[in-house]
Amino acid sequence: MVIGEMDAAQVAAFFRGKNILITGATGFLGKVLLEKILRIQPEVTKLFLLVRATDDESARRRVQTEVTGREIFQVLREKHGKGFEDFIEEKVYPLAGDVMYEDFGLDTAKLKEVSKDVDIIVNGAATTNFYERYDVSFDTNVLGAKQICAFANKCTKLKMLLHVSTAYVCGEQEGLILEKPFMMGDTLREGTHLDIESELNLIKHTQMELKANCATDKAQRKTMKELGLKRARRFGWPNTYVFTKAMGEMLLGHLRGDLPVVIIRPSIITSILKEPLPGWMEGVRTIDSVFLGYAKQALKFFLVDPNTIMDVVSLHPHIENIKRDSIYILITHKTQLSLVWTDSGGHGGKHYDGGHASALRGTSTDHLPCDIIHEQPGLLHDSPGVGPPLLRGQPAARGKRRAHPAEQDALL
């Protein structure tokens, strides 16, 4: 297959006239996605935002305060001027709900309205604390994925369910890491078998014991955090976050049925590279504290290997030199890129160079009216104004090599 040209207009065209349900919209990545869609495709029909709140009015106020009122919407606000609020009200529909509840806790009327309208679901809801309480992390990252899948199966015209996972579900392995989806029961430690139902029962049993012993809130937090780490390490994962995200992937793969599901696994997501606001960041997360400390000269030096490849993804989406064919996923790992797609019938895993491929499970795509379903951000190390190296036909930055799909039994 020949890699051709695809401009931003073709990407934006996919969202025209679509109804999209976004979970995790109040989070860092969620609000960037919302702003991007509204800015590049104002003809999107509706953006349903699932927000934790007591009612829809509270959800609306939370969206105004925590999302559309933030600095990242400055360019969009200037573009629409006095009509900005009307534009947002026309396009954005906050919903009071939570991914950990059946049907997100929506009432019957609201459930019926949303399920018949939604074309795309983007599940970005997650707790990303590495050492979160096991019960809290399990509720959102595991049971949340289950509820997302159950809801998606009720959507009569759904074209895609996009689930945001993490590159670090692969754990702390080194060398050649085969890229493949997680099956139920898979673990990273040889000789072990993971039973998600048993993990849920263990959580419930521990909670009952703590309650019976009249444990303090502090004692409960400590016990549940330690339980999460213990269970994660038992099965080969380094922390509770990546462990529960891996289980979430397993449930999606197991329960999706005929749903067109895409799982993306970005690495460390950091500030915006170019647009709408170069360098925009919200809060201090992951490696940002190191950069911030060095910039403020509070951290005079830190030990590094100058040949180390930064495993960082900019929030600025960049894509070029790609021919529109069927399903495209651009994913990053160790600053390498992979392009994975299927043909119009969903057959065969085709791959453009070696990097970190995605766990693509949408095996029936011939009913999709548009082909481009995901764009992964460009990389911090790219030269200004230049596309990702693999898409320019240049060698990738050197790092741990990921398996080419031809080296695996199956990619899809």
mmCIF file of all heavy atoms in Angstrom, residues 322-369:
data_model
loop_
_atom_site.group_PDB
_atom_site.id
_atom_site.type_symbol
_atom_site.label_atom_id
_atom_site.label_comp_id
_atom_site.label_asym_id
_atom_site.label_seq_id
_atom_site.Cartn_x
_atom_site.Cartn_y
_atom_site.Cartn_z
ATOM 1 N N ILE A 322 -0.110 10.698 4.991
ATOM 2 C CA ILE A 322 -0.804 9.434 5.187
ATOM 3 C C ILE A 322 -1.963 9.345 4.199
ATOM 4 O O ILE A 322 -2.727 10.295 4.041
ATOM 5 C CB ILE A 322 -1.342 9.305 6.620
ATOM 6 C CG1 ILE A 322 -0.179 9.368 7.608
ATOM 7 C CG2 ILE A 322 -2.102 7.999 6.793
ATOM 8 C CD1 ILE A 322 -0.623 9.314 9.037
ATOM 9 N N LYS A 323 -2.077 8.241 3.550
ATOM 10 C CA LYS A 323 -3.177 8.051 2.606
ATOM 11 C C LYS A 323 -4.399 7.511 3.338
ATOM 12 O O LYS A 323 -4.314 6.584 4.114
ATOM 13 C CB LYS A 323 -2.770 7.059 1.515
ATOM 14 C CG LYS A 323 -3.837 6.868 0.436
ATOM 15 C CD LYS A 323 -3.303 5.952 -0.636
ATOM 16 C CE LYS A 323 -4.295 5.827 -1.788
ATOM 17 N NZ LYS A 323 -5.546 5.211 -1.394
ATOM 18 N N ARG A 324 -5.532 8.126 3.096
ATOM 19 C CA ARG A 324 -6.767 7.675 3.717
ATOM 20 C C ARG A 324 -7.194 6.358 3.099
ATOM 21 O O ARG A 324 -7.408 6.256 1.908
ATOM 22 C CB ARG A 324 -7.854 8.739 3.502
ATOM 23 C CG ARG A 324 -9.177 8.361 4.129
ATOM 24 C CD ARG A 324 -10.197 9.443 3.822
ATOM 25 N NE ARG A 324 -11.483 9.058 4.384
ATOM 26 C CZ ARG A 324 -12.630 9.520 3.925
ATOM 27 N NH1 ARG A 324 -12.679 10.325 2.914
ATOM 28 N NH2 ARG A 324 -13.759 9.156 4.488
ATOM 29 N N ASP A 325 -7.304 5.316 3.916
ATOM 30 C CA ASP A 325 -7.709 4.027 3.382
ATOM 31 C C ASP A 325 -8.770 3.376 4.248
ATOM 32 O O ASP A 325 -9.889 3.156 3.824
ATOM 33 C CB ASP A 325 -6.493 3.103 3.271
ATOM 34 C CG ASP A 325 -6.869 1.747 2.719
ATOM 35 O OD1 ASP A 325 -7.284 1.680 1.558
ATOM 36 O OD2 ASP A 325 -6.757 0.770 3.470
ATOM 37 N N SER A 326 -8.435 3.096 5.492
ATOM 38 C CA SER A 326 -9.435 2.439 6.327
ATOM 39 C C SER A 326 -9.298 2.914 7.757
ATOM 40 O O SER A 326 -9.690 4.013 8.058
ATOM 41 C CB SER A 326 -9.273 0.930 6.220
ATOM 42 O OG SER A 326 -10.403 0.297 6.758
ATOM 43 N N ILE A 327 -8.705 2.126 8.652
ATOM 44 C CA ILE A 327 -8.542 2.550 10.035
ATOM 45 C C ILE A 327 -7.090 2.899 10.280
ATOM 46 O O ILE A 327 -6.207 2.095 10.021
ATOM 47 C CB ILE A 327 -8.966 1.437 11.018
ATOM 48 C CG1 ILE A 327 -10.463 1.195 10.883
ATOM 49 C CG2 ILE A 327 -8.647 1.813 12.449
ATOM 50 C CD1 ILE A 327 -10.990 0.174 11.847
ATOM 51 N N TYR A 328 -6.840 4.093 10.783
ATOM 52 C CA TYR A 328 -5.481 4.505 11.074
ATOM 53 C C TYR A 328 -5.314 4.752 12.565
ATOM 54 O O TYR A 328 -6.149 5.367 13.193
ATOM 55 C CB TYR A 328 -5.140 5.809 10.356
ATOM 56 C CG TYR A 328 -5.053 5.688 8.870
ATOM 57 C CD1 TYR A 328 -6.152 5.964 8.072
ATOM 58 C CD2 TYR A 328 -3.871 5.284 8.260
ATOM 59 C CE1 TYR A 328 -6.081 5.861 6.696
ATOM 60 C CE2 TYR A 328 -3.793 5.179 6.880
ATOM 61 C CZ TYR A 328 -4.897 5.466 6.107
ATOM 62 O OH TYR A 328 -4.823 5.361 4.754
ATOM 63 N N ILE A 329 -4.220 4.293 13.087
ATOM 64 C CA ILE A 329 -3.886 4.597 14.470
ATOM 65 C C ILE A 329 -2.417 4.956 14.512
ATOM 66 O O ILE A 329 -1.577 4.198 14.038
ATOM 67 C CB ILE A 329 -4.120 3.398 15.404
ATOM 68 C CG1 ILE A 329 -5.576 2.985 15.339
ATOM 69 C CG2 ILE A 329 -3.745 3.745 16.830
ATOM 70 C CD1 ILE A 329 -5.849 1.726 16.081
ATOM 71 N N LEU A 330 -2.101 6.098 15.046
ATOM 72 C CA LEU A 330 -0.714 6.507 15.206
ATOM 73 C C LEU A 330 -0.426 6.469 16.687
ATOM 74 O O LEU A 330 -1.086 7.131 17.473
ATOM 75 C CB LEU A 330 -0.530 7.929 14.661
ATOM 76 C CG LEU A 330 0.862 8.300 14.180
ATOM 77 C CD1 LEU A 330 1.308 7.345 13.076
ATOM 78 C CD2 LEU A 330 0.845 9.716 13.657
ATOM 79 N N ILE A 331 0.562 5.700 17.089
ATOM 80 C CA ILE A 331 0.808 5.505 18.505
ATOM 81 C C ILE A 331 2.301 5.699 18.767
ATOM 82 O O ILE A 331 3.108 5.505 17.876
ATOM 83 C CB ILE A 331 0.344 4.098 18.939
ATOM 84 C CG1 ILE A 331 -0.030 4.082 20.428
ATOM 85 C CG2 ILE A 331 1.372 3.037 18.676
ATOM 86 C CD1 ILE A 331 -1.358 4.678 20.727
ATOM 87 N N THR A 332 2.677 6.085 19.961
ATOM 88 C CA THR A 332 4.086 6.343 20.216
ATOM 89 C C THR A 332 4.623 5.532 21.378
ATOM 90 O O THR A 332 3.910 5.182 22.297
ATOM 91 C CB THR A 332 4.312 7.818 20.566
ATOM 92 O OG1 THR A 332 3.665 8.075 21.806
ATOM 93 C CG2 THR A 332 3.776 8.730 19.516
ATOM 94 N N HIS A 333 5.896 5.226 21.305
ATOM 95 C CA HIS A 333 6.583 4.584 22.422
ATOM 96 C C HIS A 333 8.072 4.756 22.189
ATOM 97 O O HIS A 333 8.575 4.485 21.115
ATOM 98 C CB HIS A 333 6.242 3.108 22.515
ATOM 99 C CG HIS A 333 6.775 2.471 23.758
ATOM 100 N ND1 HIS A 333 6.194 2.674 24.987
ATOM 101 C CD2 HIS A 333 7.847 1.675 23.959
ATOM 102 C CE1 HIS A 333 6.880 2.003 25.899
ATOM 103 N NE2 HIS A 333 7.893 1.401 25.299
ATOM 104 N N LYS A 334 8.804 5.189 23.187
ATOM 105 C CA LYS A 334 10.242 5.426 23.081
ATOM 106 C C LYS A 334 10.556 6.316 21.884
ATOM 107 O O LYS A 334 11.543 6.135 21.198
ATOM 108 C CB LYS A 334 10.999 4.094 22.945
ATOM 109 C CG LYS A 334 10.815 3.177 24.148
ATOM 110 C CD LYS A 334 11.395 3.759 25.402
ATOM 111 C CE LYS A 334 11.280 2.790 26.560
ATOM 112 N NZ LYS A 334 11.686 3.376 27.834
ATOM 113 N N THR A 335 9.708 7.297 21.634
ATOM 114 C CA THR A 335 9.775 8.250 20.533
ATOM 115 C C THR A 335 9.828 7.586 19.165
ATOM 116 O O THR A 335 10.296 8.160 18.206
ATOM 117 C CB THR A 335 10.961 9.228 20.670
ATOM 118 O OG1 THR A 335 12.184 8.512 20.598
ATOM 119 C CG2 THR A 335 10.887 9.977 21.960
ATOM 120 N N GLN A 336 9.342 6.369 19.059
ATOM 121 C CA GLN A 336 9.146 5.747 17.767
ATOM 122 C C GLN A 336 7.658 5.815 17.437
ATOM 123 O O GLN A 336 6.825 5.978 18.309
ATOM 124 C CB GLN A 336 9.602 4.292 17.786
ATOM 125 C CG GLN A 336 11.099 4.145 17.983
ATOM 126 C CD GLN A 336 11.553 2.734 17.708
ATOM 127 O OE1 GLN A 336 10.799 1.933 17.158
ATOM 128 N NE2 GLN A 336 12.777 2.434 18.062
ATOM 129 N N LEU A 337 7.354 5.689 16.193
ATOM 130 C CA LEU A 337 5.957 5.746 15.766
ATOM 131 C C LEU A 337 5.568 4.455 15.060
ATOM 132 O O LEU A 337 6.376 3.838 14.387
ATOM 133 C CB LEU A 337 5.725 6.914 14.797
ATOM 134 C CG LEU A 337 5.994 8.309 15.327
ATOM 135 C CD1 LEU A 337 5.736 9.304 14.217
ATOM 136 C CD2 LEU A 337 5.099 8.604 16.505
ATOM 137 N N SER A 338 4.331 4.095 15.211
ATOM 138 C CA SER A 338 3.794 2.983 14.437
ATOM 139 C C SER A 338 2.483 3.405 13.802
ATOM 140 O O SER A 338 1.700 4.106 14.415
ATOM 141 C CB SER A 338 3.529 1.770 15.326
ATOM 142 O OG SER A 338 4.726 1.148 15.666
ATOM 143 N N LEU A 339 2.266 2.974 12.609
ATOM 144 C CA LEU A 339 1.001 3.208 11.928
ATOM 145 C C LEU A 339 0.389 1.849 11.635
ATOM 146 O O LEU A 339 1.004 1.012 10.989
ATOM 147 C CB LEU A 339 1.230 3.968 10.630
ATOM 148 C CG LEU A 339 -0.002 4.264 9.784
ATOM 149 C CD1 LEU A 339 -0.958 5.143 10.571
ATOM 150 C CD2 LEU A 339 0.397 4.925 8.495
ATOM 151 N N VAL A 340 -0.791 1.606 12.168
ATOM 152 C CA VAL A 340 -1.444 0.309 12.002
ATOM 153 C C VAL A 340 -2.810 0.538 11.382
ATOM 154 O O VAL A 340 -3.507 1.454 11.769
ATOM 155 C CB VAL A 340 -1.606 -0.389 13.373
ATOM 156 C CG1 VAL A 340 -2.258 -1.743 13.202
ATOM 157 C CG2 VAL A 340 -0.251 -0.533 14.051
ATOM 158 N N TRP A 341 -3.187 -0.294 10.430
ATOM 159 C CA TRP A 341 -4.522 -0.133 9.886
ATOM 160 C C TRP A 341 -5.045 -1.474 9.394
ATOM 161 O O TRP A 341 -4.311 -2.458 9.300
ATOM 162 C CB TRP A 341 -4.568 0.897 8.761
ATOM 163 C CG TRP A 341 -3.821 0.534 7.510
ATOM 164 C CD1 TRP A 341 -4.308 -0.074 6.406
ATOM 165 C CD2 TRP A 341 -2.441 0.802 7.254
ATOM 166 N NE1 TRP A 341 -3.327 -0.215 5.465
ATOM 167 C CE2 TRP A 341 -2.180 0.318 5.954
ATOM 168 C CE3 TRP A 341 -1.423 1.392 7.975
ATOM 169 C CZ2 TRP A 341 -0.921 0.413 5.376
ATOM 170 C CZ3 TRP A 341 -0.172 1.494 7.409
ATOM 171 C CH2 TRP A 341 0.070 1.006 6.127
ATOM 172 N N THR A 342 -6.315 -1.513 9.081
ATOM 173 C CA THR A 342 -6.890 -2.701 8.461
ATOM 174 C C THR A 342 -7.435 -2.289 7.103
ATOM 175 O O THR A 342 -7.643 -1.106 6.829
ATOM 176 C CB THR A 342 -8.054 -3.273 9.289
ATOM 177 O OG1 THR A 342 -9.110 -2.317 9.316
ATOM 178 C CG2 THR A 342 -7.611 -3.590 10.703
ATOM 179 N N ASP A 343 -7.668 -3.261 6.251
ATOM 180 C CA ASP A 343 -8.285 -2.916 4.977
ATOM 181 C C ASP A 343 -9.781 -2.724 5.184
ATOM 182 O O ASP A 343 -10.278 -2.826 6.305
ATOM 183 C CB ASP A 343 -8.001 -3.994 3.915
ATOM 184 C CG ASP A 343 -8.535 -5.367 4.318
ATOM 185 O OD1 ASP A 343 -9.519 -5.427 5.097
ATOM 186 O OD2 ASP A 343 -7.964 -6.359 3.851
ATOM 187 N N SER A 344 -10.510 -2.434 4.130
ATOM 188 C CA SER A 344 -11.920 -2.054 4.279
ATOM 189 C C SER A 344 -12.771 -3.151 4.889
ATOM 190 O O SER A 344 -13.843 -2.882 5.417
ATOM 191 C CB SER A 344 -12.492 -1.653 2.917
ATOM 192 O OG SER A 344 -12.404 -2.740 2.016
ATOM 193 N N GLY A 345 -12.283 -4.382 4.862
ATOM 194 C CA GLY A 345 -13.041 -5.467 5.470
ATOM 195 C C GLY A 345 -12.555 -5.800 6.861
ATOM 196 O O GLY A 345 -13.042 -6.712 7.502
ATOM 197 N N GLY A 346 -11.577 -5.049 7.319
ATOM 198 C CA GLY A 346 -11.047 -5.271 8.654
ATOM 199 C C GLY A 346 -10.053 -6.425 8.707
ATOM 200 O O GLY A 346 -9.776 -6.974 9.764
ATOM 201 N N HIS A 347 -9.491 -6.809 7.547
ATOM 202 C CA HIS A 347 -8.628 -7.982 7.522
ATOM 203 C C HIS A 347 -7.157 -7.589 7.572
ATOM 204 O O HIS A 347 -6.760 -6.538 7.110
ATOM 205 C CB HIS A 347 -8.884 -8.796 6.248
ATOM 206 C CG HIS A 347 -10.308 -9.190 6.098
ATOM 207 N ND1 HIS A 347 -10.940 -10.033 6.985
ATOM 208 C CD2 HIS A 347 -11.252 -8.825 5.188
ATOM 209 C CE1 HIS A 347 -12.202 -10.197 6.602
ATOM 210 N NE2 HIS A 347 -12.411 -9.469 5.528
ATOM 211 N N GLY A 348 -6.373 -8.490 8.096
ATOM 212 C CA GLY A 348 -4.923 -8.328 8.057
ATOM 213 C C GLY A 348 -4.421 -7.165 8.871
ATOM 214 O O GLY A 348 -5.034 -6.138 8.937
ATOM 215 N N GLY A 349 -3.323 -7.273 9.532
ATOM 216 C CA GLY A 349 -2.725 -6.155 10.243
ATOM 217 C C GLY A 349 -1.613 -5.592 9.404
ATOM 218 O O GLY A 349 -0.592 -6.238 9.205
ATOM 219 N N LYS A 350 -1.785 -4.427 8.829
ATOM 220 C CA LYS A 350 -0.726 -3.808 8.035
ATOM 221 C C LYS A 350 0.005 -2.807 8.912
ATOM 222 O O LYS A 350 -0.588 -2.163 9.750
ATOM 223 C CB LYS A 350 -1.325 -3.125 6.805
ATOM 224 C CG LYS A 350 -2.088 -4.101 5.917
ATOM 225 C CD LYS A 350 -2.635 -3.420 4.694
ATOM 226 C CE LYS A 350 -3.409 -4.383 3.832
ATOM 227 N NZ LYS A 350 -3.960 -3.750 2.627
ATOM 228 N N HIS A 351 1.283 -2.648 8.677
ATOM 229 C CA HIS A 351 2.089 -1.907 9.634
ATOM 230 C C HIS A 351 3.110 -1.048 8.898
ATOM 231 O O HIS A 351 3.718 -1.499 7.927
ATOM 232 C CB HIS A 351 2.801 -2.920 10.535
ATOM 233 C CG HIS A 351 3.531 -2.325 11.672
ATOM 234 N ND1 HIS A 351 4.843 -2.012 11.597
ATOM 235 C CD2 HIS A 351 3.118 -1.998 12.918
ATOM 236 C CE1 HIS A 351 5.251 -1.520 12.760
ATOM 237 N NE2 HIS A 351 4.218 -1.504 13.571
ATOM 238 N N TYR A 352 3.286 0.177 9.326
ATOM 239 C CA TYR A 352 4.249 1.079 8.721
ATOM 240 C C TYR A 352 5.385 1.298 9.700
ATOM 241 O O TYR A 352 5.267 2.059 10.647
ATOM 242 C CB TYR A 352 3.570 2.406 8.370
ATOM 243 C CG TYR A 352 4.478 3.408 7.700
ATOM 244 C CD1 TYR A 352 5.119 3.083 6.521
ATOM 245 C CD2 TYR A 352 4.665 4.669 8.259
ATOM 246 C CE1 TYR A 352 5.930 4.003 5.898
ATOM 247 C CE2 TYR A 352 5.480 5.595 7.641
ATOM 248 C CZ TYR A 352 6.112 5.259 6.456
ATOM 249 O OH TYR A 352 6.922 6.170 5.843
ATOM 250 N N ASP A 353 6.465 0.602 9.514
ATOM 251 C CA ASP A 353 7.664 0.654 10.339
ATOM 252 C C ASP A 353 7.402 0.123 11.751
ATOM 253 O O ASP A 353 6.289 -0.163 12.122
ATOM 254 C CB ASP A 353 8.234 2.072 10.412
ATOM 255 C CG ASP A 353 9.746 2.030 10.588
ATOM 256 O OD1 ASP A 353 10.210 1.813 11.717
ATOM 257 O OD2 ASP A 353 10.430 2.195 9.574
ATOM 258 N N GLY A 354 8.461 -0.005 12.534
ATOM 259 C CA GLY A 354 8.353 -0.641 13.850
ATOM 260 C C GLY A 354 8.311 0.374 14.960
ATOM 261 O O GLY A 354 9.135 1.254 15.036
ATOM 262 N N GLY A 355 7.410 0.280 15.844
ATOM 263 C CA GLY A 355 7.327 1.158 16.995
ATOM 264 C C GLY A 355 6.377 0.525 17.963
ATOM 265 O O GLY A 355 6.353 -0.684 18.094
ATOM 266 N N HIS A 356 5.570 1.321 18.607
ATOM 267 C CA HIS A 356 4.621 0.755 19.572
ATOM 268 C C HIS A 356 3.261 0.723 18.921
ATOM 269 O O HIS A 356 2.589 1.729 18.785
ATOM 270 C CB HIS A 356 4.599 1.641 20.823
ATOM 271 C CG HIS A 356 3.672 1.135 21.864
ATOM 272 N ND1 HIS A 356 4.001 0.116 22.712
ATOM 273 C CD2 HIS A 356 2.417 1.509 22.182
ATOM 274 C CE1 HIS A 356 3.003 -0.105 23.528
ATOM 275 N NE2 HIS A 356 2.029 0.719 23.224
ATOM 276 N N ALA A 357 2.840 -0.438 18.477
ATOM 277 C CA ALA A 357 1.557 -0.566 17.792
ATOM 278 C C ALA A 357 0.429 -0.559 18.793
ATOM 279 O O ALA A 357 0.634 -0.641 19.982
ATOM 280 C CB ALA A 357 1.537 -1.864 16.984
ATOM 281 N N SER A 358 -0.779 -0.453 18.296
ATOM 282 C CA SER A 358 -1.925 -0.395 19.200
ATOM 283 C C SER A 358 -2.593 -1.751 19.324
ATOM 284 O O SER A 358 -2.376 -2.641 18.525
ATOM 285 C CB SER A 358 -2.954 0.582 18.657
ATOM 286 O OG SER A 358 -3.474 0.051 17.479
ATOM 287 N N ALA A 359 -3.412 -1.878 20.339
ATOM 288 C CA ALA A 359 -4.222 -3.090 20.468
ATOM 289 C C ALA A 359 -5.520 -2.821 19.724
ATOM 290 O O ALA A 359 -6.463 -2.290 20.278
ATOM 291 C CB ALA A 359 -4.494 -3.392 21.933
ATOM 292 N N LEU A 360 -5.533 -3.147 18.464
ATOM 293 C CA LEU A 360 -6.680 -2.837 17.612
ATOM 294 C C LEU A 360 -7.589 -4.043 17.532
ATOM 295 O O LEU A 360 -7.173 -5.108 17.138
ATOM 296 C CB LEU A 360 -6.192 -2.462 16.215
ATOM 297 C CG LEU A 360 -7.259 -2.230 15.152
ATOM 298 C CD1 LEU A 360 -8.167 -1.106 15.584
ATOM 299 C CD2 LEU A 360 -6.621 -1.935 13.827
ATOM 300 N N ARG A 361 -8.853 -3.835 17.928
ATOM 301 C CA ARG A 361 -9.751 -4.982 17.944
ATOM 302 C C ARG A 361 -11.012 -4.756 17.126
ATOM 303 O O ARG A 361 -11.915 -5.549 17.166
ATOM 304 C CB ARG A 361 -10.124 -5.334 19.390
ATOM 305 C CG ARG A 361 -8.898 -5.629 20.225
ATOM 306 C CD ARG A 361 -9.298 -5.943 21.638
ATOM 307 N NE ARG A 361 -8.121 -6.075 22.467
ATOM 308 C CZ ARG A 361 -8.069 -5.749 23.728
ATOM 309 N NH1 ARG A 361 -9.114 -5.251 24.322
ATOM 310 N NH2 ARG A 361 -6.967 -5.907 24.430
ATOM 311 N N GLY A 362 -11.117 -3.646 16.416
ATOM 312 C CA GLY A 362 -12.318 -3.415 15.621
ATOM 313 C C GLY A 362 -12.237 -4.219 14.342
ATOM 314 O O GLY A 362 -11.757 -3.742 13.334
ATOM 315 N N THR A 363 -12.661 -5.442 14.356
ATOM 316 C CA THR A 363 -12.398 -6.344 13.249
ATOM 317 C C THR A 363 -13.431 -6.287 12.137
ATOM 318 O O THR A 363 -13.327 -6.991 11.164
ATOM 319 C CB THR A 363 -12.311 -7.793 13.760
ATOM 320 O OG1 THR A 363 -13.512 -8.125 14.441
ATOM 321 C CG2 THR A 363 -11.140 -7.942 14.715
ATOM 322 N N SER A 364 -14.434 -5.469 12.303
ATOM 323 C CA SER A 364 -15.417 -5.325 11.238
ATOM 324 C C SER A 364 -15.652 -3.843 11.017
ATOM 325 O O SER A 364 -16.295 -3.179 11.797
ATOM 326 C CB SER A 364 -16.733 -6.012 11.609
ATOM 327 O OG SER A 364 -17.680 -5.818 10.578
ATOM 328 N N THR A 365 -15.098 -3.303 9.936
ATOM 329 C CA THR A 365 -15.121 -1.858 9.743
ATOM 330 C C THR A 365 -15.758 -1.433 8.420
ATOM 331 O O THR A 365 -15.792 -0.252 8.110
ATOM 332 C CB THR A 365 -13.686 -1.300 9.762
ATOM 333 O OG1 THR A 365 -12.947 -1.914 8.694
ATOM 334 C CG2 THR A 365 -13.003 -1.590 11.079
ATOM 335 N N ASP A 366 -16.258 -2.403 7.664
ATOM 336 C CA ASP A 366 -16.757 -2.031 6.343
ATOM 337 C C ASP A 366 -18.021 -1.189 6.417
ATOM 338 O O ASP A 366 -18.431 -0.614 5.419
ATOM 339 C CB ASP A 366 -17.009 -3.281 5.489
ATOM 340 C CG ASP A 366 -17.701 -4.387 6.259
ATOM 341 O OD1 ASP A 366 -17.777 -4.293 7.487
ATOM 342 O OD2 ASP A 366 -18.161 -5.310 5.593
ATOM 343 N N HIS A 367 -18.637 -1.053 7.615
ATOM 344 C CA HIS A 367 -19.839 -0.229 7.734
ATOM 345 C C HIS A 367 -19.493 1.209 8.106
ATOM 346 O O HIS A 367 -20.373 2.046 8.184
ATOM 347 C CB HIS A 367 -20.761 -0.810 8.793
ATOM 348 C CG HIS A 367 -20.173 -0.792 10.172
ATOM 349 N ND1 HIS A 367 -19.159 -1.646 10.531
ATOM 350 C CD2 HIS A 367 -20.440 -0.007 11.244
ATOM 351 C CE1 HIS A 367 -18.827 -1.407 11.792
ATOM 352 N NE2 HIS A 367 -19.583 -0.423 12.240
ATOM 353 N N LEU A 368 -18.209 1.486 8.345
ATOM 354 C CA LEU A 368 -17.845 2.836 8.771
ATOM 355 C C LEU A 368 -17.943 3.806 7.597
ATOM 356 O O LEU A 368 -17.373 3.564 6.539
ATOM 357 C CB LEU A 368 -16.412 2.859 9.322
ATOM 358 C CG LEU A 368 -16.154 2.002 10.559
ATOM 359 C CD1 LEU A 368 -14.703 2.166 10.999
ATOM 360 C CD2 LEU A 368 -17.075 2.410 11.690
ATOM 361 N N PRO A 369 -18.634 4.943 7.761
ATOM 362 C CA PRO A 369 -18.787 5.898 6.678
ATOM 363 C C PRO A 369 -17.529 6.718 6.458
ATOM 364 O O PRO A 369 -17.356 7.330 5.430
ATOM 365 C CB PRO A 369 -19.934 6.791 7.158
ATOM 366 C CG PRO A 369 -19.839 6.738 8.640
ATOM 367 C CD PRO A 369 -19.375 5.347 8.961
#
